[in-house]
């Protein structure tokens, strides 16, 4: 299983960065290869992706959500992946967003992409596009969900 950790500093308050990240259905605006995310419940999402011509659908569960601190998830079927996005206040108007992901590449193409560092580049690119997206909106999020989720593994 591969692991990726990347960060980006955004020129918005931590609350704004966090609130935007809770708007999962907006992910296709800044995540390359993500075609659709549907929020099924407060903790369940359904994803449609297409990367290098390979289409996939999978469900994911939000396992932890602490306002202004972190959002964690894991896939619940199909491809195996899990991750956490953390938000660190740098000052009143700047936030460091860090993505840490663990994923299991499927097939030879994904395994090769992982070995060549292309997955690292994709995550970094997604974070850079998130920065452009939120800063380009004048630092105003498209919505917010301030609830907490804490689903510890048994």
């Amino acid at each position: 299983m591969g692991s990726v950790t990347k960060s980006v500093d955004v020129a918005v308050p931590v609350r704004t960065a966090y609130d935007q990240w809770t708007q999962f259905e907006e992910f296709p605006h800044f995540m390359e290869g993500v075609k659709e995310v549907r929020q099924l419940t407060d903790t369940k999402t359904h994803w449609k992706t297409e990367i290098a011509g390979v289409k996939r659908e999978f469900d994911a569960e939000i396992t932890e959500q602490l306002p202004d601190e972190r959002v964690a998830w894991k896939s619940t079927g199909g491809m195996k992946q899990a991750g956490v996005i953390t938000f660190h206040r740098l000052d009143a108007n700047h936030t460091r967003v860090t993505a840490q992901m663990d994923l299991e590449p499927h097939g030879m193409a994904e395994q090769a992409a992982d070995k060549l560092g292309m997955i690292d580049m994709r995550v970094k690119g997604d974070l850079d596009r998130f920065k452009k997206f939120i800063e380009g909106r004048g630092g105003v999020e498209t919505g917010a969900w301030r609830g907490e989720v804490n689903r510890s593994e048994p």
Side-chain angles (χ1 to χ4, degrees):
M1 184 169 274
S3 184
V4 176
T5 302
K6 298 292 178 194
S7 296
V8 69
D9 294 349
V10 295
V12 298
V14 69
R15 181 180 180 121
T16 302
Y18 172 85
D19 286 351
Q20 183 60 57
W21 206 273
T22 66
Q23 302 305 294
F24 304 109
E25 293 183 353
E26 299 292 327
F27 284 6
H29 292 289
F30 55 87
M31 288 187 174
E32 186 179 347
V34 175
K35 298 301 181 188
E36 179 184 9
V37 179
R38 281 187 290 129
Q39 180 101 32
L40 304 175
T41 69
D42 285 347
T43 59
K44 298 206 183 302
T45 56
H46 182 77
W47 294 65
K48 291 183 181 181
T49 63
E50 184 175 352
I51 299 170
V54 177
K55 295 180 182 182
R56 288 217 162 79
E57 289 191 42
F58 63 95
D59 293 325
E61 177 183 11
I62 308 305
T63 57
E64 187 178 14
Q65 202 162 324
L66 298 171
D68 303 335
E69 292 182 31
R70 61 194 295 121
V71 177
W73 74 93
K74 67 175 183 174
S75 60
T76 58
M79 62 188 303
K80 287 187 178 182
Q81 70 160 276
V84 61
I85 306 295
T86 56
F87 304 87
H88 303 277
R89 181 184 185 276
L90 300 175
D91 63 33
N93 294 306
H94 294 88
T95 303
R96 178 161 296 140
V97 180
T98 301
Q100 180 182 347
M101 294 179 55
D102 295 316
L103 56 130
E104 185 175 293
H106 290 303
M108 290 188 55
E110 287 181 15
Q111 290 172 8
D114 185 33
K115 285 181 177 37
L116 293 171
M118 295 172 75
I119 295 173
D120 284 31
M121 290 186 290
R122 171 68 57 89
V123 173
K124 179 64 175 149
D126 288 347
L127 287 174
D128 290 343
R129 284 184 291 278
F130 174 75
K131 174 183 175 67
K132 286 179 80 173
F133 179 79
I134 192 64
E135 290 177 358
R137 295 184 46 77
V140 178
E141 65 274 15
T142 60
W145 190 75
R146 304 292 297 172
E148 288 191 24
V149 175
N150 188 358
R151 296 188 176 214
S152 301
E153 294 285 337

